[in-house]
């Protein structure tokens, strides 16, 4: 039973990537995206990021096969200022894709909680956090690092 919950959660997580990319493609054309969504910053504290395990998640992304998923999020050592702006823009796109996916999957979890299937809802949310929320928070942290570096230039 639990295996079915986990497999469903992972499946809906991958589907949420496509949903996020599709909805974000439309949102990018709006002024709301440029004014508000491109500058989201949920957790500003590096200490809190560390406490929730974002450093460990970052290590996993950098040192496993997951590093091959979004090849646009790589930077050369000899990058120029314009490259940093492009990288930041790609990070923003990825961040919003994952946030939309997080909201999409959260709806499924809320429905499961509402139907008193608490274990299923909990498993959906845990997988959703790992597949959508943490990548989004990691992109926000990386964007802050790029912003600090750009301010120094």
């Amino acid at each position: 039973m639990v295996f079915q919950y986990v497999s469903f959660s992972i499946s809906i997580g991958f589907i949420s990537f496509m949903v996020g990319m599709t909805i974000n493609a439309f949102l990018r054309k709006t002024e709301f995206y440029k004014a508000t969504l491109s500058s989201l910053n949920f957790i500003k504290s590096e200490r809190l990021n560390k406490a929730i395990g974002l450093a460990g998640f970052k290590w996993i992304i950098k040192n496993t096969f997951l590093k091959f998923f979004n090849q646009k999020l790589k930077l050369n050592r000899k990058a120029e200022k314009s490259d940093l702006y492009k990288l930041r823009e790609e990070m923003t796109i990825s961040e919003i894709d994952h946030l939309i996916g997080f909201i999409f999957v959260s709806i499924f979890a809320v429905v499961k909680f509402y139907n008193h299937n608490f274990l299923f809802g909990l498993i959906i949310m845990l997988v959703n956090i790992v597949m959508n929320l943490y990548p989004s928070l990691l992109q926000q942290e990386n964007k802050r690092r790029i912003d600090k570096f750009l301010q120094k230039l």
Side-chain angles (χ1 to χ4, degrees), residues 96-123:
I96 303 302
D97 288 349
H98 281 290
L99 282 177
I100 293 168
F102 181 76
I103 293 167
F104 174 76
V105 175
S106 294
I107 293 168
F108 285 87
V110 167
V111 168
K112 291 299 177 186
F113 281 122
Y114 181 75
N115 291 332
H116 302 286
N117 199 342
F118 300 114
L119 179 62
F120 198 1
L122 178 66
I123 290 172

Side-chain angles (χ1 to χ4, degrees), residues 72-93 139 142-153:
K72 293 180 182 179
L73 299 179
K74 291 200 178 216
L75 187 63
N76 299 346
R77 292 277 182 209
K78 299 177 183 179
E80 296 180 17
K81 194 173 183 177
S82 63
D83 295 333
L84 290 174
Y85 283 115
K86 288 177 189 172
L87 179 63
R88 190 185 189 290
E89 184 178 328
E90 287 298 328
M91 286 181 174
T92 301
I93 291 168
Q139 297 303 337
N142 290 335
K143 285 187 342 184
R144 284 192 301 273
R145 289 174 48 215
I146 288 174
D147 290 343
K148 286 178 188 176
F149 187 73
L150 286 173
Q151 285 178 351
K152 290 180 183 179
L153 292 178

Side-chain angles (χ1 to χ4, degrees), residues 30-146:
T30 65
E31 196 59 41
F32 175 70
Y33 182 89
K34 294 171 188 149
T36 306
L37 291 180
S38 64
S39 60
L40 289 177
N41 202 358
F42 295 130
I43 301 176
K44 296 179 182 178
S45 167
E46 289 188 33
R47 181 183 288 164
L48 184 55
N49 277 339
K50 197 173 212 175
I52 64 171
L54 203 55
F57 183 76
K58 183 178 185 176
W59 185 90
I60 291 169
I61 295 295
K62 286 174 61 173
N63 296 303
T64 65
F65 68 93
L66 297 173
K67 66 183 169 189
F68 299 113
F69 275 171
N70 194 345
Q71 292 294 307
K72 293 180 182 179
L73 299 179
K74 291 200 178 216
L75 187 63
N76 299 346
R77 292 277 182 209
K78 299 177 183 179
E80 296 180 17
K81 194 173 183 177
S82 63
D83 295 333
L84 290 174
Y85 283 115
K86 288 177 189 172
L87 179 63
R88 190 185 189 290
E89 184 178 328
E90 287 298 328
M91 286 181 174
T92 301
I93 291 168
S94 178
E95 170 196 353
I96 303 302
D97 288 349
H98 281 290
L99 282 177
I100 293 168
F102 181 76
I103 293 167
F104 174 76
V105 175
S106 294
I107 293 168
F108 285 87
V110 167
V111 168
K112 291 299 177 186
F113 281 122
Y114 181 75
N115 291 332
H116 302 286
N117 199 342
F118 300 114
L119 179 62
F120 198 1
L122 178 66
I123 290 172
I124 289 173
M125 277 310 293
L126 291 175
V127 171
N128 191 24
I129 287 169
V130 171
M131 291 182 76
N132 282 312
L133 185 60
Y134 270 37
S136 184
L137 293 175
L138 183 60
Q139 297 303 337
Q140 287 181 5
E141 180 183 13
N142 290 335
K143 285 187 342 184
R144 284 192 301 273
R145 289 174 48 215
I146 288 174

